[in-house]
Amino acid sequence: MLGAARRQLGSGHMLAQVLRRLRPAAAASTEAARGYSSAAKEITVRDALNSALDEEMSADPSVFLMGEEVGEYQGAYKITKGLLDKYGPDRVLDTPITEAGFTGIGVGAAYQGLRPVIEFMTFNFSMQAIDHIINSAAKSNYMSAGQINVPIVFRGPNGAAAGVGAQHSQCYAAWFAHVPGLKVLAPYSSEDARGLLKAAIRDPDPVVFLENELLYGESFPVSDEVLDSSFALPIGKAKIEREGKDVTITAFSKMVGYALQAAEILSKEGISAEVINLRSIRPLDRAAINASVRKTNRLVTLEEGFPQHGVGAEICMSVVEESFEYLDAPIERIAGADVPMPYAANLERLAVPQIEDIVRAARRACYRALPMAATA
């Protein structure tokens, strides 16, 4: 498999869940809530990812794709649609159901100067390959004193989808962000998906690229700049999706949309919330987070992963270390419930953050509601 890929480059489970869940936002306020200016057109996150892969494969013959159903089936979520026909089976490689096998092949290819993009049908399956990701990809540059670069991207859907139970609903942001040597990205919008995936493929180090299944079909406005083939976003830089002065809300991936909707509700109550789209989990844009907190004097962190040792916990500590004297209220941390994901729909909803949770936390931070301790 790898030999075929290298010859070509040298010369020139489970079926996908097709559930889509639109965020419950009023259409009239969607663009305002998202914080976008006027844009030329809208594209889906799915198409943004597909175009990024296509353009990077066209620009660099060392880029190739590998994973389950990425070729003939055109991707479990159709992210790789059309790429097999365009680039052939030596650069779009269907694999057996063996994450440990094809991930190891990908890491070995990266050692040799190729740029593999490894797709996991869900990041829950990456646990089968975690030794290759952490002990081989993440550590080789350091252990070789900089002699070995590992330019590889591990991508696929991460976090909760809908009705797929505890073994297919975990958020791995904190897991992989814990590891020196990895870069961890989590896009929200089409601009994020396109710009960050291009940056990840071009990067000389291993990148874990955490998408969200429920965002694939959502459309976002994009500018002509974003659609340019040279476009890429800087790794390690957050984006202020909505400016505010009363409270800072940090979020990533699907939770950014929830934060924006909560900010819209809060604005009707006279609370001006600043929403930060983290984009990059490792490296974390601590400067942007602390600058915002020093302006608003309040912080709400938001994630759908487990609370203990989570991304929000790291953000809280960063603010305590660097901006504690600016805080006018205790930090509020919102995360998924500290339980395996339930299968029942009513319990599943209780296990992940909801918009009303964010609104209540922001009210508490702004002393518009009783603290949790007082209502217990």
Side-chain angles (χ1 to χ4, degrees):
M1 184 185 298
L2 178 57
R6 292 187 64 185
R7 286 196 299 274
Q8 174 69 14
L9 296 171
S11 64
H13 24 41
M14 60 185 292
L15 295 176
Q17 304 296 319
V18 292
L19 301 166
R20 290 179 60 190
R21 184 181 289 174
L22 296 177
R23 293 191 306 272
S29 63
T30 298
E31 289 206 13
R34 285 174 175 167
Y36 287 99
S37 59
S38 60
K41 62 178 295 188
E42 289 196 356
I43 62 172
T44 64
V45 171
R46 176 181 289 107
D47 289 340
L49 293 167
N50 178 268
S51 65
L53 289 170
D54 186 8
E55 290 172 10
E56 293 307 301
M57 292 181 74
S58 177
D60 186 347
S62 70
V63 178
F64 72 97
L65 313 182
M66 183 184 295
E68 297 156 7
E69 300 184 345
V70 298
E72 293 290 345
Y73 192 67
Q74 306 201 59
Y77 301 93
K78 300 300 180 277
I79 304 300
T80 54
K81 184 177 181 180
L83 299 181
L84 175 62
D85 291 339
K86 185 170 183 178
Y87 297 103
D90 286 339
R91 293 187 67 189
V92 182
L93 290 84
D94 279 322
T95 70
I97 303 175
T98 170
E99 284 79 11
F102 63 76
T103 303
I105 291 172
V107 173
Y111 284 167
Q112 298 301 314
L114 303 182
R115 291 183 175 270
V117 179
I118 303 300
E119 176 176 312
F120 296 119
M121 197 177 291
T122 160
F123 256 93
N124 297 276
F125 300 158
S126 72
M127 294 183 71
Q128 301 291 328
I130 203 163
D131 181 64
H132 293 300
I133 298 170
I134 292 176
N135 278 329
S136 297
K139 297 178 182 178
S140 291
N141 184 263
Y142 175 82
M143 294 178 70
S144 68
Q147 296 179 78
I148 299 176
N149 287 108
V150 191
I152 186 170
V153 176
F154 307 101
R155 56 154 296 270
N158 170 72
V164 292
Q167 294 174 323
H168 299 86
S169 300
Q170 296 174 112
C171 175
Y172 285 88
W175 288 59
F176 289 114
H178 184 67
V179 181
L182 291 178
K183 296 174 181 175
V184 182
L185 307 179
Y188 159 62
S189 66
S190 299
E191 176 182 318
D192 292 354
R194 183 171 159 81
L196 291 175
L197 184 54
K198 281 175 161 286
I201 294 172
R202 298 172 190 178
D203 199 88
D205 298 312
V207 179
V208 173
F209 197 84
L210 303 172
E211 301 155 13
N212 187 280
E213 175 186 342
L214 300 179
L215 288 176
Y216 284 149
E218 292 212 30
S219 295
F220 293 84
V222 291
S223 65
D224 291 336
E225 178 190 4
V226 172
L227 295 174
D228 189 273
S229 61
S230 64
F231 176 74
L233 289 171
I235 293 175
K237 294 295 182 182
K239 178 185 179 183
I240 297 178
E241 295 281 355
R242 179 184 179 122
E243 293 190 355
K245 60 183 179 61
D246 295 328
V247 60
T248 297
I249 304 175
T250 63
F252 60 93
S253 190
K254 182 164 64 79
M255 291 293 107
V256 176
Y258 282 27
L260 290 170
Q261 291 174 67
E264 190 69 18
I265 294 170
L266 291 165
S267 70
K268 295 178 173 61
E269 302 177 8
I271 297 175
S272 173
E274 181 150 294
V275 176
I276 297 181
N277 172 7
L278 296 175
R279 284 181 168 171
S280 178
I281 310 302
R282 185 184 183 108
L284 188 65
D285 194 348
R286 301 171 191 272
I289 295 168
N290 279 277
S292 178
V293 170
R294 292 182 182 199
K295 177 177 68 172
T296 67
N297 310 115
R298 295 170 175 86
L299 174 64
V300 176
T301 71
L302 173 62
E303 63 187 309
E304 64 177 353
F306 300 130
Q308 185 160 325
H309 311 305
V311 175
E314 179 65 24
I315 292 172
C316 291
M317 196 62 219
S318 175
V319 170
V320 167
E321 289 175 337
E322 300 179 38
S323 304
F324 179 76
E325 65 273 24
Y326 289 87
L327 290 171
D328 286 344
I331 297 172
E332 295 280 345
R333 182 172 58 146
I334 304 173
D338 198 20
V339 296
M341 179 65 74
Y343 177 74
N346 59 329
L347 297 179
E348 181 182 63
R349 188 180 190 279
L350 294 173
V352 294
Q354 302 297 325
I355 295 168
E356 55 264 33
D357 299 323
I358 310 165
V359 171
R360 284 194 294 264
R363 288 171 181 159
R364 288 194 299 267
C366 295
Y367 299 110
R368 301 291 183 89
L370 290 175
M372 291 181 68
T375 60

